[in-house]
Amino acid sequence: MKMWSGRFETAVEASFDRWQRSFPYDRRLLAYEIASSKAHAEALAQAGVLSGQELSAVIGALGRILSEGVPADTDATIEDVHHFVERGVVEQAGDVGMKLHTGRSRNELIATDLRLYTRDSIDHVHVRTSALIEALVEKAEAAGMAAMPAYTHAQRAEPVLAAHWLLAYAEMFLRDIDRLQSCRERLNECPLGSGAVAGTVVPVDRQAVARKLGFDGPTANSMDATSDRDFAIEFVQHASLLAGHLSRLAEDLILFSSNEYGFVHLPDAYCTGSSAMPQKKNPDALELLRAHAGRVLGNAVALATTVKALPLAYNKDLQETQMPLFDTVGRTLAVLDVATGCLRSLDIDVPRMRIAATRGGMNAFAAAAFLARRGVPFRKAHELIGRAVQLSLSKKCELEELSTEDLGRCEIDVPLDQFRSALSLDAVLALHDVEGGTAPARVAAAIANVRERLESMQEPVGGRS
Ligand code: ARG
């Protein structure tokens, strides 16, 4: 039986009826629906609507529904998770089950379930993102003094420590966790008690209900609470930033693992072969990781445009916010595991990276800085080193291989040994001795700092499973 058939003369058209049901996907909210229903039943008992005996019958039924889950032969006419649970309580506990919906509405229930679901999802994403950061830090530590070229405009720019490059991603993911945490704080208010739109008519203790469900307190306005999904939009938008960061990491690794770069060797376990070309080892895991950003961003746009311009308060359009949210959560958890696994078994080709980090005039900036330290105005130093670069290109050598005469032709008048030692890889790296820079001591401090921040981020309560 439907929950609302009384007013209708004729039955709903069958294909529309099938199409409007959300149970095929909102059944994943079952545990939250049960928790919300328990809290509501207890509030009803406290308000005198249910007797002590009735309450235990309802609570017992709710517990059984949760432990049984959704049986395979479940009636296909179940409309949504709320319908499923209410019907189950009536089946198990008899007529008292019909009292459960006193003073509540599906509008407040779905708003509550989705907040609980999003809160748990944030905790799971937090734990998995922490594991990814941990893997980045471990790799950074293991990379030690390994140097690589840093690129701007996809052109070799300056040498950096490979650890510095890895920690750049750690920073991005730390901010992603931070954003999710602030979303969690904002969403942690309980809509129960809001009724369908105007607030419930039963004097339930909203503070107590909120506390039981782990919320900081009740929502402040029943129309807002039943009709906004900004918490879901925010979560998916944050997840799309996280996906964007993952896609950049994936892209770096895809490029760096190609023969052209050869900086890293990807683990076989995260690659696939070609059915046609026997020599191929394709970075499929990373490519899918890169594509994940497109899907999540699509979900973020779908969510924002679904809620945009909806008149207050609840509209059935809001049901359409569920799938983009669920899809984002499922995919995000999966890609984080893949990214972490892939990174953990990544092999960095230190000698090959070092060769790339010491070729192609990447010490030109350090050379100009060297002249500037000796009193040559930087613009002038830039010009002179630019000439030296041109000369080294025509001689097919590196800057530090130019002779005193060569330097003289470029109007560079410095002791050759000092010039050369200022251009060595170690000197160039050490030059960037500033907070946030790539000097080895700074990078070592950064590793410790990332670890500290990771540890100080509150470990989520429910996120381990
Ligand atoms: N399945 C619905 C949703 O996801 C639940 C709320 C239905 N409320 C209603 N008034 N039809 O939004």
Side-chain angles (χ1 to χ4, degrees):
M1 194 180 109
K2 292 210 178 297
M3 292 172 284
W4 39 262
S5 47
R7 185 233 177 275
F8 285 76
E9 273 180 33
T10 49
V12 172
E13 203 280 321
S15 63
F16 160 61
D17 196 20
R18 264 197 311 281
W19 176 67
Q20 59 102 27
R21 286 178 205 139
S22 52
F23 193 54
Y25 48 90
D26 70 15
R27 49 184 284 180
R28 75 192 74 200
L29 299 174
L30 183 62
Y32 307 112
E33 177 74 6
I34 298 282
S36 298
S37 293
K38 279 188 176 164
H40 179 68
E42 281 159 8
L44 285 182
Q46 212 160 30
V49 177
L50 294 181
S51 69
Q53 216 177 3
E54 287 175 327
L55 175 65
S56 21
V58 168
I59 297 287
L62 287 169
R64 279 192 296 281
I65 295 168
L66 181 61
S67 58
E68 278 164 22
V70 181
D73 61 349
T74 297
D75 181 352
T77 64
I78 292 290
E79 196 172 317
D80 54 25
V81 67
H82 322 292
H83 187 200
F84 175 77
V85 170
E86 191 179 303
R87 230 186 54 161
V89 176
V90 175
E91 269 168 21
Q92 303 237 7
D95 279 359
V96 60
M98 292 200 203
K99 288 190 178 177
L100 178 60
H101 213 54
T102 315
R104 73 173 192 177
S105 154
R106 283 186 291 164
N107 299 352
E108 60 180 334
L109 273 173
I110 188 62
T112 306
D113 294 352
L114 287 176
R115 280 178 192 242
L116 290 171
Y117 171 84
T118 307
R119 191 177 73 188
D120 269 3
S121 301
I122 287 174
D123 291 349
H124 293 305
V125 173
H126 181 150
V127 168
R128 283 178 171 79
T129 309
S130 296
L132 176 62
I133 297 172
E134 188 62 46
L136 284 164
V137 175
E138 273 164 24
K139 273 281 143 196
E141 207 154 45
M145 283 298 290
M148 66 182 281
Y151 297 80
T152 63
H153 311 268
Q155 307 292 319
R156 286 185 191 177
E158 290 190 87
V160 290
L161 288 185
H164 197 55
W165 161 70
L166 290 162
L167 291 181
Y169 285 105
E171 291 297 331
M172 296 175 217
F173 296 128
L174 280 167
R175 284 196 299 279
D176 289 324
I177 293 183
D178 198 51
R179 267 186 285 270
L180 287 168
Q181 279 310 110
S182 84
C183 171
R184 190 192 196 284
E185 280 165 28
R186 253 186 308 286
L187 72 71
N188 206 28
E189 291 177 349
C190 184
L192 287 186
S194 298
V197 61
T200 181
V201 293
V202 175
V204 290
D205 181 349
R206 291 197 65 204
Q207 294 286 348
V209 171
R211 264 198 313 277
K212 270 182 197 146
L213 293 170
F215 287 111
D216 296 331
T219 47
N221 181 294
S222 60
M223 295 181 80
D224 168 47
T226 49
S227 71
D228 204 359
R229 296 290 182 269
D230 58 355
F231 60 90
I233 298 175
E234 212 182 313
F235 169 79
V236 176
Q237 285 177 349
H238 293 340
S240 77
L241 278 174
L242 170 60
H245 292 150
L246 282 166
S247 78
R248 295 187 76 174
L249 174 61
E251 173 69 352
D252 264 357
L253 291 174
I254 290 167
L255 289 176
F256 291 172
S257 64
S258 70
N259 273 340
E260 281 64 24
Y261 286 82
F263 295 170
V264 299
H265 304 290
L266 299 178
D268 279 7
Y270 289 92
C271 294
T272 64
S274 156
S275 61
M277 298 164 280
Q279 87 286 8
K280 293 295 293 292
K281 176 172 151 182
N282 296 327
D284 290 34
L286 294 169
E287 290 168 309
L288 289 173
L289 230 146
R290 190 171 55 183
H292 161 78
R295 268 283 280 271
V296 178
L297 197 55
N299 287 339
V301 173
L303 264 170
T305 47
T306 300
V307 178
K308 166 199 164 294
L310 280 186
L312 286 191
Y314 179 84
N315 297 268
K316 184 86 165 192
D317 309 46
L318 291 172
Q319 184 168 290
E320 288 293 305
T321 61
Q322 292 186 26
M323 271 316 286
L325 173 66
F326 298 155
D327 181 62
T328 302
V329 170
R331 295 179 61 87
T332 301
L333 296 177
V335 294
L336 281 167
D337 282 349
V338 170
T340 304
C342 189
L343 200 73
R344 280 214 178 105
S345 34
L346 186 75
D347 178 21
I348 294 184
D349 193 329
V350 178
R352 178 119 185 193
M353 266 189 170
R354 189 183 170 88
I355 290 169
T358 50
R359 300 254 167 94
M362 276 196 304
N363 46 12
F365 176 77
F370 172 72
L371 294 191
R373 269 203 312 284
R374 295 173 62 90
V376 182
F378 182 77
R379 186 51 55 225
K380 176 90 181 151
H382 185 289
E383 176 67 23
L384 301 184
I385 298 297
R387 284 184 211 163
V389 168
Q390 235 188 71
L391 185 59
S392 70
L393 285 173
S394 67
K395 294 186 75 171
K396 296 195 174 12
C397 70
E398 291 298 324
L399 280 175
E400 64 275 22
E401 289 164 348
L402 293 174
S403 64
T404 309
E405 297 80 71
D406 292 332
L407 293 179
R409 277 170 61 194
C410 304
E411 293 173 39
I412 298 170
D413 179 21
V414 291
L416 190 63
D417 56 336
Q418 284 183 31
F419 181 74
R420 285 185 171 166
S421 64
L423 266 59
S424 72
L425 179 61
D426 285 352
V428 175
L429 289 170
L431 194 60
H432 301 273
D433 186 19
V434 65
E435 244 177 86
T438 197
R442 299 293 186 171
V443 174
I447 289 176
N449 180 271
V450 170
R451 278 236 160 86
E452 238 167 66
R453 277 183 287 156
L454 196 58
E455 272 156 30
S456 74
M457 278 178 155
Q458 219 186 329
E459 181 77 355
V461 191
R464 272 285 166 212
S465 55

